[in-house]
């Protein structure tokens, strides 16, 4: 099996699974309980919070635990919107955000908020001048992802943060789900106020996530109940999952230092090979994230190519629905190229640090063979 779908989810590190089992078995107490088991769990929770804060170079008091990227994004966007609605109801985001950001913004529009969706160029990047022009007196939040989950384009977060520093009343949220452990993001230096990380994208477990909230930033809670996480996110903490997330993030960030060049080499090999392939259009920018590569085969259903690769033991993904009755085009590729044929036939390859160049060679050869065969079949059918 060759697993090249790591942007959908990653396989947990063995050490992460061991940590989860150990904590679940031996330290299963509720961290809010006053007895010994509860105190032990609370100490593990605090230690994990401290380690994650050190890894992200922020304060422990600025780390809040959630169930994942979707919850963190919703908490950041809706929480800021409702807490600051008295001074403005304008939000700025982009046309290529993850649905957990885009749909959260659509939900706020139904409640009377006004949202500006910035366009992107063919490299999947926004224009800083477009952002500057979009800023209004009633703008309260800018939410822009770091690394796009479909094509791997990288937004100029540091430059955006510098621009927004001239507008101190506007809060800046960054969806860092695809960038964590892959593309460096200096949260403090980039003037980021809120930042989202997901556990299962860094070889942690599903159902775990982080929301960084800069000290002094006020948001309205989405959940109410037991007042955990200093009333920002009520609900008994998933201590075992959080400890596992802490370990996963540490290992991934260490791997980022050790194996970034290898990952980049694999992407370059795939990028160059796909660029030379007849009938294939590469959608990812040349200078994108080192682990994501998106391409189209116009005229071919992406689901057909995906399942053909699966028959060879190769796992990739597509943003199209796996149904001939309802096909969904890639919102990101459409925003970049404005070409329906191109955006309806996308395949995403996403790697991790354990992948090898030999795997990329096999994948590229398989794509070449399958595309050639499918095109031959289509010509005969015509």
């Amino acid at each position: 099996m060759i697993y090249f779908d790591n942007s959908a989810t990653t396989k947990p590190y063995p050490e992460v699974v061991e940590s989860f089992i150990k904590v679940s078995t031996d330290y299963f107490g509720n961290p809010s309980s006053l007895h010994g088991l509860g105190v032990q769990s609370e100490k593990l929770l605090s230690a994990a919070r401290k380690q994650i804060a050190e890894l992200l170079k922020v304060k422990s008091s600025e780390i809040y635990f959630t169930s994942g990227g979707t919850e963190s994004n919703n908490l950041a966007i809706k929480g800021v919107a409702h807490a600051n609605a008295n001074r403005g109801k304008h939000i700025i985001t982009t046309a290529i955000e993850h649905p957990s950001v885009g749909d959260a913004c659509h939900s706020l529009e139904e409640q009377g908020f006004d949202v500006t969706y910035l366009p992107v160029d063919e490299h999947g990047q926004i224009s800083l001048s477009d952002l500057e022009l979009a800023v209004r007196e009633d703008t309260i939040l800018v939410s822009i992802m770091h690394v796009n989950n479909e094509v791997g384009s990288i937004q100029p977060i540091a430059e955006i943060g510098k621009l927004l520093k001239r507008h101190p009343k506007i809060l800046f949220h960054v969806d860092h789900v695809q960038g964590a452990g892959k593309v460096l993001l200096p949260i403090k230096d980039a003037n980021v106020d809120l930042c989202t990380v997901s556990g299962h994208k860094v070889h942690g477990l599903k159902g775990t996530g982080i929301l960084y909230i800069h000290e002094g930033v006020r948001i309205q809670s989405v959940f109410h109940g037991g007042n955990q996480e200093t009333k920002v996110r009520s609900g008994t903490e998933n201590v075992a999952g959080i400890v596992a997330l802490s370990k996963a993030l540490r290992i991934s960030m260490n791997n980022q230092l050790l194996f970034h060049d290898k990952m980049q080499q694999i992407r370059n090999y795939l990028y160059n090979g796909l660029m030379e392939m007849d009938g294939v259009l590469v959608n990812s920018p040349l200078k994108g994230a080192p682990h994501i590569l998106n391409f189209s085969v116009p005229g071919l259903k992406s689901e057909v190519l995906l399942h053909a690769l699966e028959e060879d033991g190769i796992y990739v993904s597509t943003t199209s629905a796996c149904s001939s009755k309802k096909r969904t085009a890639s919102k990101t590729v459409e925003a970049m190229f404005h070409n329906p044929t191109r955006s309806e036939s996308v395949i995403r390859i996403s790697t991790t640090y354990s992948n090898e160049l030999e795997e990329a060679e096999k994948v590229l050869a398989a794509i070449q063979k399958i595309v050639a065969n499918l095109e031959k079949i289509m010509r005969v059918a015509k």
Side-chain angles (χ1 to χ4, degrees), residues 76-90:
I77 294 165
K78 295 176 182 177
V80 165
H82 291 303
N84 295 275
N86 62 325
R87 63 178 186 82
K89 287 193 170 185
H90 181 232

Side-chain angles (χ1 to χ4, degrees), residues 44-248:
L44 287 174
L45 186 65
S46 295
R49 198 186 308 274
K50 183 174 184 291
Q51 182 177 77
I52 289 170
E54 289 173 351
L55 290 168
L56 299 180
K57 295 181 170 56
V58 300
K59 297 179 181 179
S60 294
S61 59
E62 297 174 317
I63 296 296
Y64 297 85
F65 295 117
T66 69
S67 64
T70 293
E71 185 190 335
S72 291
N73 283 339
N74 273 266
L75 179 56
I77 294 165
K78 295 176 182 177
V80 165
H82 291 303
N84 295 275
N86 62 325
R87 63 178 186 82
K89 287 193 170 185
H90 181 232
I91 296 167
I92 300 172
T93 186
T94 81
I96 63 168
E97 295 299 309
H98 186 272
S100 60
V101 170
D103 288 354
C105 288
H106 293 322
S107 172
L108 288 171
E109 285 181 292
E110 294 174 356
Q111 299 171 46
F113 287 83
D114 188 14
V115 182
T116 297
Y117 299 90
L118 300 174
V120 295
D121 60 20
E122 63 181 11
H123 304 292
Q125 287 190 321
I126 67 159
S127 161
L128 291 175
S129 59
D130 283 348
L131 173 58
E132 181 75 77
L133 288 171
V135 171
R136 305 184 332 203
E137 282 294 322
D138 61 339
T139 303
I140 55 173
L141 174 68
V142 171
S143 180
I144 296 178
M145 69 187 345
H146 182 207
V147 174
N148 181 263
N149 56 300
E150 292 189 49
V151 300
S153 56
I154 304 171
Q155 299 300 338
I157 298 300
E159 289 85 348
I160 294 169
K162 184 178 180 182
L163 185 158
L164 292 177
K165 206 165 187 179
R166 302 199 296 268
H167 306 276
K169 291 184 178 181
I170 300 175
L171 296 174
F172 183 24
H173 167 246
V174 174
D175 177 352
H176 187 42
V177 167
Q178 290 294 342
K182 305 292 194 311
V183 183
L184 185 66
L185 175 65
I187 293 174
K188 291 288 188 182
D189 292 343
N191 197 39
V192 174
D193 295 298
L194 304 103
C195 184
T196 297
V197 176
S198 175
H200 77 104
K201 307 292 189 180
V202 292
H203 299 274
L205 302 175
K206 297 174 184 66
T208 61
I210 301 163
L211 178 61
Y212 157 79
I213 305 176
H214 186 268
E215 194 173 53
V217 170
R218 186 171 61 91
I219 72 171
Q220 183 174 304
S221 178
V222 175
F223 296 159
H224 300 90
N227 297 331
Q228 289 88 352
E229 299 298 291
T230 61
K231 297 185 179 182
V232 170
R233 199 277 186 184
S234 289
T236 302
E237 295 94 343
N238 176 8
V239 178
I242 290 166
V243 170
L245 168 55
S246 173
K247 179 161 285 191

